[in-house]
Amino acid sequence: MASSTTRPEIPHSTEEDGVARRLLDSSATLSYDPQTEVDWDTPLDKDFHGTSPEWSTLFGTAYWAELTDAQRKELTRQEAASVAGTGIWFELILQQMILRDVYAKDPSQETVQWALTEIADECRHSIMFARGAKKLGAPAYQPRRVARELGRAFKTLAFGEAAYAAILVAEEVLDVMQRDWMRDQRVVPFVRTINNIHVVEESRHMKFARDETRKRLAKAGWLRRQINAFVIAVASYVIVTSMVHRKVYANAGLDEQRAIAEARANEHHKSMLRSSCAGLMEFLASARLLTRPALAFYKRAHLI
C-alpha cells in the first residue's frame, strides 16, 4: 500500500513551478528551528563582539582608536542588535508584500506554497532576531519614524518587480555581512549560530526574489522599468541607512554626536558596503534597473 505522505506525480509543471519545487525540497532538507538550534540559556559572554569589528561603523576612525577593547565589543553588540531590529522591520514588510502577492491565487501551485514557506521562515527569523537582540543587552531598535512611514507606504503600494527586487536588496546586503560574522571566532557564539541559520535559509529567498524579478521584468516597458528602478533605489537607500540606529553609540557609552559624525565620514565602512553589494549591483545592471536617478540613491547609500 502506498504511503499517504507520498507526493503524487504532477502531470504538468511550469518553469516557475520547477524553481519553487526545488526551493521547497531544499527547505524540507535544510531548515532550522532557532528555538532549539540557538543557545539561548548560556549567559552573554562580554569577551566577544556582536559583529566582526571590521563591520563596525566606527572601525578605522580616530574615535575607534581611542576606545578600549570592552567599549569596542559593547559597540559591536549594540550594532548587531540594531541590524537585527532593522531586519525584523523589513521582514514584516516582506511578509505583507508576499501575502498580498499570493492572495486569492491557487494554493495548490508550488509557487504559492513556496511563498507561504518563505513567510514561515521570516516569522521564525523575526523571533530569532528579537531574542538575539535582547540577549545582547540592547533595546528594541527600530528605524526612525520617517523610515517606518515610508515602509508603511511601500508595503501597501509596491508590487511585482519593485517588491521582489527590494526584498533582494535587503537580503543581499545582510547576507554578505552575516557570512563574515558567522565565521568570525571573535563574534559571540550564539550570534554566529543566528547568522548561519539566516544565511542558509535566506539563500533560498534570494534565489526566489531574483527569479521573480527577472520574470516580472520580462515584458516591462521603458516607463515601467524607470519607475520601478527609482522605487527600488529609494527603498534600498532607506533600508541601508536604517541599519545602525544613532542611539547605539550612547547605549555603548560613547559620545553620540561625535560618533555619528565620525561614522558618517568613515570611508572604511563605505568601502565595506560597496564591496558587499558588488554582486547585487551586477544583477540590477543586468535587469536594466541602474537608471541615472536610481544610481544617485545607490551612491548616497554607498552601495556603488
Side-chain angles (χ1 to χ4, degrees), residues 216-234:
R216 292 169 192 242
L217 279 171
K219 296 182 180 179
W222 180 88
L223 180 60
R224 175 175 159 186
R225 200 178 293 268
Q226 292 288 313
I227 292 170
N228 281 314
F230 181 76
V231 170
I232 294 160
V234 173

Side-chain angles (χ1 to χ4, degrees), residues 85-290:
T86 302
I88 293 168
W89 166 69
F90 194 75
E91 284 178 344
L92 292 173
I93 292 173
L94 180 159
Q95 290 170 50
Q96 292 177 73
M97 290 193 298
I98 294 177
L99 277 172
R100 184 158 46 84
D101 190 46
V102 301
Y103 177 73
K105 289 186 178 178
D106 180 358
S108 68
Q109 292 179 350
E110 292 181 325
T111 50
V112 176
Q113 292 172 22
W114 165 252
L116 296 175
T117 300
E118 181 168 342
I119 291 167
D121 287 347
E122 299 297 5
C123 286
R124 291 196 307 276
H125 294 168
S126 294
I127 296 169
M128 175 176 72
F129 285 156
R131 292 187 69 180
K134 185 176 181 180
K135 185 168 180 177
L136 286 168
Y141 291 112
Q142 288 192 347
R144 61 196 185 280
R145 182 166 182 176
V146 65
R148 296 200 306 271
E149 294 307 318
L150 286 170
R152 195 186 305 278
F154 184 73
K155 72 180 177 59
T156 304
L157 301 173
F159 65 94
E161 60 270 19
Y164 281 101
I167 289 169
L168 182 63
V169 169
E171 291 176 343
E172 290 250 9
V173 173
L174 273 177
D175 182 70
V176 175
M177 292 181 182
Q178 292 182 325
R179 284 180 187 274
D180 284 349
W181 304 349
M182 75 184 195
R183 302 185 186 106
D184 194 333
Q185 298 297 313
R186 297 169 296 176
V187 175
V188 66
F190 83 91
V191 170
R192 295 205 304 269
T193 304
I194 286 173
N195 291 328
N196 182 66
I197 291 171
H198 198 246
V199 163
V200 169
E201 297 187 347
E202 289 294 334
S203 65
R204 294 189 287 264
H205 302 180
M206 289 189 290
K207 166 73 174 173
F208 188 65
R210 283 175 180 254
D211 189 64
E212 288 295 302
T213 301
R214 287 194 193 96
K215 180 184 69 180
R216 292 169 192 242
L217 279 171
K219 296 182 180 179
W222 180 88
L223 180 60
R224 175 175 159 186
R225 200 178 293 268
Q226 292 288 313
I227 292 170
N228 281 314
F230 181 76
V231 170
I232 294 160
V234 173
S236 303
Y237 174 82
V238 174
I239 293 163
V240 171
T241 57
S242 297
M243 282 191 173
V244 178
H245 197 284
R246 61 184 297 142
K247 290 299 178 186
V248 301
Y249 306 112
N251 292 334
L254 309 187
D255 179 330
E256 182 178 321
Q257 294 306 316
R258 181 186 172 189
I260 290 170
E262 295 210 22
R264 284 177 177 166
N266 188 355
E267 292 302 325
H268 170 80
H269 190 66
K270 294 173 187 177
S271 175
M272 293 288 282
L273 284 174
R274 284 192 293 270
S275 65
S276 75
C277 290
L280 171 63
M281 292 300 128
E282 274 186 34
F283 172 77
L284 293 177
S286 72
R288 290 183 290 152
L289 291 171
L290 290 185

